[in-house]
Amino acid sequence: MSREELRLWSDFGFSLLRVYGQLQRAERALAAQYQLGPSHVEALYLLYRLAPREGWIPLRQLYDFFPLTSPAVGRLFRHLAYWRYVELHRDKADRRRILVRLLPAAYQILHEIESLRARMLQHFFPPLSGGQLRQWVEQLETITFASACAGVEKSVEILPE
């Protein structure tokens, strides 16, 4: 690799870090308006990616996505349930199993965060077409949080109301 190419890759990496930092600050500020932290937003986004609208998913299925212990993940979702962003439900067939689903307030926050991300990234990468964007997402697919969610088998349950 030539010296010029090394420098370009280095500049590209530094620029991505700067973009990420600005995204993170903006998302934290938005989440703070709802008294949520980054882990809460990550948990909501994960659940959004894994479960269909109004679908229940076993809480245990989410444990591996967090660098936290199982009890800590449980506390995280209990906090979200307290604030009415998710609903927790014990499985009637197996009382040890807890099911979780998003509530409407979570969809509102997730929509606001998606809009914020899109606006900011369009600002940083204005000439990026839809096809180019898809290509970038596919290229990064093996290492991103979103692809890890897509690769999980969807074990979703619909409970009677």
Side-chain angles (χ1 to χ4, degrees), residues 59 62-64 66-78:
L59 184 59
L62 307 176
Y63 290 164
D64 292 338
F66 294 94
L68 304 169
T69 63
S70 300
V73 173
R75 278 192 303 277
L76 180 69
F77 278 93
R78 280 195 303 279

Side-chain angles (χ1 to χ4, degrees), residues 4-5 8 25 29 37-38 55 58 63 65 67 69 75 78-79 82 89 92 104 106-107 114 121 134 142 148 155 158:
E4 176 65 20
E5 194 174 357
L8 285 172
R25 280 189 293 282
Y63 290 164
F65 289 97
T69 63
R75 278 192 303 277
R78 280 195 303 279
H79 289 155
Y82 175 79
H89 177 80
K92 288 183 169 77
Y107 289 106
E114 281 180 335
L121 290 171
R134 182 174 306 285
T142 60
S155 163
I158 304 296

Side-chain angles (χ1 to χ4, degrees), residues 4-134:
E4 176 65 20
E5 194 174 357
L6 279 174
R7 185 167 178 222
L8 285 172
W9 279 111
S10 180
D11 288 350
F12 179 62
F14 182 76
S15 297
L16 287 177
L17 287 172
R18 296 291 300 235
V19 168
Y20 173 71
Q22 289 186 27
L23 268 173
Q24 200 173 36
R25 280 189 293 282
E27 285 185 20
R28 271 196 187 127
L30 178 61
Q33 292 175 9
Y34 294 96
Q35 299 180 344
L36 297 175
S39 294
H40 297 113
V41 172
E42 185 177 341
L44 292 174
Y45 183 70
L46 174 66
L47 192 54
Y48 174 70
R49 291 295 303 227
L50 289 177
R53 199 160 185 84
E54 303 303 318
W56 294 88
I57 188 168
L59 184 59
R60 178 179 302 262
Q61 192 172 340
L62 307 176
Y63 290 164
D64 292 338
F65 289 97
F66 294 94
L68 304 169
T69 63
S70 300
V73 173
R75 278 192 303 277
L76 180 69
F77 278 93
R78 280 195 303 279
H79 289 155
L80 290 168
Y82 175 79
W83 294 320
R84 308 278 310 141
Y85 294 115
V86 301
E87 183 178 0
L88 297 172
H89 177 80
R90 282 212 184 267
D91 189 347
K92 288 183 169 77
D94 182 355
R95 301 288 298 157
R96 296 171 297 175
R97 199 167 102 148
I98 298 174
L99 304 172
V100 61
R101 75 172 174 179
L102 290 172
L103 292 174
Y107 289 106
Q108 176 188 343
I109 292 170
L110 290 168
H111 176 72
E112 287 183 45
I113 289 173
E114 281 180 335
S115 296
L116 174 69
R117 284 180 189 153
R119 283 191 315 274
M120 289 187 73
L121 290 171
Q122 284 174 337
H123 171 75
F124 287 115
F125 305 101
L128 202 60
S129 71
Q132 290 170 320
L133 177 59
R134 182 174 306 285

